[in-house]
Amino acid sequence: MQKNISAAMFYSLLFAMGGAPTIAMLIIRAQTSDPAIIYNALIGLSVIIACILVPVVLIQNAVLYAKRKSETLEQKIEPLSKFYLVLNVLCLVYWLSIQFIG
């Protein structure tokens, strides 16, 4: 498998798992600061977002896997791989800031 295609598949799956709770927390914290509401809403909203995000990523990765030997796709997919990496880093920074800053 090509390097950029495999990286895009890995980073997108990582984002599908970590991005749903991050998006949910962003939405919830914009609405309220009550810890009890945040916890209850985080679980439900994370599941709802994951039910949308995970299938989209799985379909994308199935297409990438089917075309994994394409040299032209390898070059075109590099920005997508970097985009997912940046999203993962932003999610991590967000959760670390919530944990340690407040």
Side-chain angles (χ1 to χ4, degrees):
M1 189 174 306
Q2 305 289 341
K3 177 186 161 218
N4 291 329
I5 292 174
S6 62
M9 291 173 70
F10 175 72
Y11 293 146
S12 64
L13 285 172
L14 195 62
F15 176 70
M17 292 183 286
T22 303
I23 294 168
M25 184 59 85
L26 286 168
I27 293 169
I28 295 164
R29 286 179 67 102
Q31 303 292 321
T32 185
S33 60
D34 182 13
I37 294 173
I38 288 176
Y39 178 74
N40 290 332
L42 178 64
I43 302 300
L45 197 53
S46 294
V47 169
I48 290 170
I49 293 171
C51 287
I52 296 168
L53 197 57
V54 170
V56 168
V57 167
L58 288 176
I59 291 168
Q60 169 205 296
N61 287 349
V63 171
L64 288 176
Y65 184 75
K67 298 181 178 188
R68 67 188 178 274
K69 296 183 189 230
S70 170
E71 278 297 322
T72 57
L73 183 61
E74 171 70 12
Q75 298 307 319
K76 290 180 183 177
I77 207 74
E78 186 176 8
L80 182 65
S81 173
K82 290 180 180 177
F83 174 71
Y84 278 123
L85 177 61
V86 168
L87 283 177
N88 288 326
V89 169
L90 290 174
C91 289
L92 178 63
V93 167
Y94 177 75
W95 285 105
L96 289 174
S97 69
I98 286 176
Q99 187 68 30
F100 294 112
I101 296 173

